[in-house]
Amino acid sequence: MPRSHIGIATALTSLLFAVPAYSDDPLRLAVDVPFEPFEYRLPDGTLTGFEVELGEEVCRRIERECEWVEQGWDGIIPGLLARKYDAIMSSMAITDARREQVLFSEPYYSNPSVWVTQEGKEIDIEDHDALEGISVGVQRGTIRDEYITDTYGDLVDVRRYATGEDLAVDIRTGRLDAAFMYYPLALSSLEVNAEGSGIVTSSPLIREPKHYFGHGVAAAFHPRNEALAEQFNEALREIKQDGTYDELMNKYVDYDIKI
């Protein structure tokens, strides 16, 4: 083949691989529902929430249709690596351990965790004698599970739940002494600190250490899907810059989550 033809073929091949694959197909986003106010269903079954609307806006800007795939948290990273969906957009914190498995977008929000108890049963998390033997609930497979297990596992009875909703039920009914929860979930499912809820915080809001609680929440992609991650990042920057992000944040939460 003449050199000129080889050059043209090489250039065409480069262009082909520069175009993100399956760009005309829906963008499949995995989500663990419910997790108010970030992802949940309305009474009519419509999927909504801060992350859902943010994801839909990203899809609109990269000219892809969003297809939401419900996936339990325990299997959400394995499902991504098996290419059952294109990305995870489900309040996943960036941690060093997860960075070894997935490719993260730029972070798009940050939220704390908190200890909660029934009113009148507040605990001092610094008093290890008081903690010894109490039952503490966490959602299985989360960074809160890892933190409690590593930090307090030799003191407390760690009880793990498949969903945040199951965890909320058992702290509300007194089957747990305490729970360590994502703060937004404590607000939405338990109305923590609200008059008459019977559930209160038993610690300051916790965001450290970063080793456990990460560097913000981001979308997660297959490690080889760099082109899609960059498309997502470009759309996200536009959304933050033109005020759309602030509108969505103010619609769903009354505290600052922007990062």
Short mmCIF file of all heavy atoms in Angstrom, two decimals, residues 103-106 219 221-222 225-234 237:
data_model
loop_
_atom_site.label_atom_id
_atom_site.label_comp_id
_atom_site.label_asym_id
_atom_site.label_seq_id
_atom_site.Cartn_x
_atom_site.Cartn_y
_atom_site.Cartn_z
N LEU A 103 -13.14 4.34 37.43
CA LEU A 103 -12.71 5.67 37.02
C LEU A 103 -13.79 6.66 37.46
O LEU A 103 -14.95 6.53 37.06
CB LEU A 103 -12.53 5.72 35.51
CG LEU A 103 -12.22 7.08 34.88
CD1 LEU A 103 -10.88 7.61 35.38
CD2 LEU A 103 -12.24 6.97 33.36
N PHE A 104 -13.43 7.64 38.27
CA PHE A 104 -14.41 8.60 38.77
C PHE A 104 -14.45 9.86 37.91
O PHE A 104 -13.43 10.29 37.35
CB PHE A 104 -14.07 9.01 40.20
CG PHE A 104 -14.52 8.02 41.24
CD1 PHE A 104 -13.59 7.25 41.93
CD2 PHE A 104 -15.87 7.84 41.53
CE1 PHE A 104 -13.99 6.33 42.88
CE2 PHE A 104 -16.28 6.93 42.48
CZ PHE A 104 -15.34 6.17 43.16
N SER A 105 -15.64 10.46 37.86
CA SER A 105 -15.79 11.80 37.31
C SER A 105 -15.26 12.81 38.32
O SER A 105 -14.82 12.44 39.42
CB SER A 105 -17.26 12.09 37.02
OG SER A 105 -17.98 12.25 38.25
N GLU A 106 -15.33 14.07 37.96
CA GLU A 106 -15.08 15.11 38.96
C GLU A 106 -16.20 15.04 40.00
O GLU A 106 -17.34 14.69 39.67
CB GLU A 106 -15.06 16.48 38.28
CG GLU A 106 -13.91 16.65 37.30
CD GLU A 106 -14.00 17.95 36.51
OE1 GLU A 106 -14.93 18.74 36.75
OE2 GLU A 106 -13.15 18.14 35.62
N ALA A 219 -19.71 10.34 39.78
CA ALA A 219 -20.12 9.22 38.94
C ALA A 219 -18.92 8.30 38.75
O ALA A 219 -17.78 8.75 38.71
CB ALA A 219 -20.63 9.72 37.60
N PHE A 221 -17.16 5.18 36.41
CA PHE A 221 -17.15 4.59 35.07
C PHE A 221 -16.21 3.40 35.04
O PHE A 221 -15.31 3.26 35.88
CB PHE A 221 -16.67 5.63 34.04
CG PHE A 221 -17.51 6.87 33.99
CD1 PHE A 221 -17.25 7.93 34.85
CD2 PHE A 221 -18.56 6.98 33.09
CE1 PHE A 221 -18.03 9.09 34.82
CE2 PHE A 221 -19.35 8.13 33.06
CZ PHE A 221 -19.08 9.18 33.93
N HIS A 222 -16.38 2.56 34.03
CA HIS A 222 -15.42 1.48 33.79
C HIS A 222 -14.04 2.13 33.55
O HIS A 222 -13.96 3.16 32.87
CB HIS A 222 -15.85 0.66 32.57
CG HIS A 222 -15.08 -0.61 32.42
ND1 HIS A 222 -13.79 -0.65 31.94
CD2 HIS A 222 -15.41 -1.91 32.70
CE1 HIS A 222 -13.36 -1.90 31.91
NE2 HIS A 222 -14.33 -2.69 32.36
N ASN A 225 -13.27 3.53 30.15
CA ASN A 225 -14.24 4.41 29.50
C ASN A 225 -13.89 5.89 29.75
O ASN A 225 -14.72 6.68 30.17
CB ASN A 225 -15.65 4.11 30.00
CG ASN A 225 -16.69 4.28 28.91
OD1 ASN A 225 -16.42 4.90 27.89
ND2 ASN A 225 -17.87 3.75 29.14
N GLU A 226 -12.65 6.24 29.44
CA GLU A 226 -12.17 7.60 29.69
C GLU A 226 -12.91 8.64 28.85
O GLU A 226 -13.17 9.75 29.32
CB GLU A 226 -10.67 7.68 29.44
CG GLU A 226 -9.84 6.85 30.41
CD GLU A 226 -8.36 6.93 30.12
OE1 GLU A 226 -8.00 7.53 29.08
OE2 GLU A 226 -7.56 6.41 30.92
N ALA A 227 -13.25 8.29 27.62
CA ALA A 227 -13.92 9.25 26.73
C ALA A 227 -15.28 9.65 27.31
O ALA A 227 -15.64 10.83 27.31
CB ALA A 227 -14.08 8.66 25.34
N LEU A 228 -16.03 8.68 27.79
CA LEU A 228 -17.34 8.98 28.38
C LEU A 228 -17.19 9.80 29.65
O LEU A 228 -17.95 10.75 29.88
CB LEU A 228 -18.10 7.69 28.66
CG LEU A 228 -19.49 7.86 29.30
CD1 LEU A 228 -20.39 8.70 28.41
CD2 LEU A 228 -20.11 6.49 29.56
N ALA A 229 -16.21 9.46 30.48
CA ALA A 229 -15.99 10.22 31.71
C ALA A 229 -15.68 11.68 31.41
O ALA A 229 -16.16 12.59 32.10
CB ALA A 229 -14.87 9.59 32.52
N GLU A 230 -14.90 11.92 30.37
CA GLU A 230 -14.56 13.30 30.02
C GLU A 230 -15.78 14.03 29.47
O GLU A 230 -15.97 15.22 29.76
CB GLU A 230 -13.41 13.33 29.01
CG GLU A 230 -12.94 14.74 28.67
CD GLU A 230 -12.62 15.61 29.88
OE1 GLU A 230 -12.07 15.08 30.89
OE2 GLU A 230 -12.94 16.82 29.85
N GLN A 231 -16.61 13.37 28.68
CA GLN A 231 -17.85 13.99 28.23
C GLN A 231 -18.71 14.40 29.43
O GLN A 231 -19.28 15.49 29.45
CB GLN A 231 -18.64 13.00 27.37
CG GLN A 231 -18.23 12.94 25.92
CD GLN A 231 -19.25 12.13 25.11
OE1 GLN A 231 -19.71 11.09 25.55
NE2 GLN A 231 -19.59 12.63 23.95
N PHE A 232 -18.82 13.50 30.39
CA PHE A 232 -19.61 13.77 31.59
C PHE A 232 -19.04 14.99 32.32
O PHE A 232 -19.78 15.88 32.73
CB PHE A 232 -19.57 12.54 32.50
CG PHE A 232 -20.42 12.66 33.73
CD1 PHE A 232 -21.69 12.08 33.77
CD2 PHE A 232 -19.97 13.33 34.87
CE1 PHE A 232 -22.47 12.18 34.90
CE2 PHE A 232 -20.74 13.43 36.00
CZ PHE A 232 -22.01 12.85 36.02
N ASN A 233 -17.71 15.03 32.47
CA ASN A 233 -17.07 16.15 33.17
C ASN A 233 -17.32 17.48 32.48
O ASN A 233 -17.57 18.50 33.14
CB ASN A 233 -15.57 15.90 33.30
CG ASN A 233 -15.23 14.87 34.37
OD1 ASN A 233 -16.00 14.67 35.31
ND2 ASN A 233 -14.10 14.22 34.22
N GLU A 234 -17.25 17.49 31.16
CA GLU A 234 -17.47 18.73 30.42
C GLU A 234 -18.90 19.23 30.63
O GLU A 234 -19.13 20.43 30.85
CB GLU A 234 -17.20 18.50 28.93
CG GLU A 234 -15.72 18.33 28.60
CD GLU A 234 -15.49 18.05 27.13
OE1 GLU A 234 -16.48 18.10 26.36
OE2 GLU A 234 -14.34 17.78 26.75
N ARG A 237 -19.28 20.61 34.21
CA ARG A 237 -18.71 21.96 34.38
C ARG A 237 -19.67 23.02 33.87
O ARG A 237 -19.85 24.06 34.50
CB ARG A 237 -17.38 22.05 33.63
CG ARG A 237 -16.26 21.22 34.24
CD ARG A 237 -14.96 21.35 33.45
NE ARG A 237 -14.11 20.19 33.67
CZ ARG A 237 -13.67 19.38 32.72
NH1 ARG A 237 -14.00 19.61 31.45
NH2 ARG A 237 -12.90 18.35 33.02
#
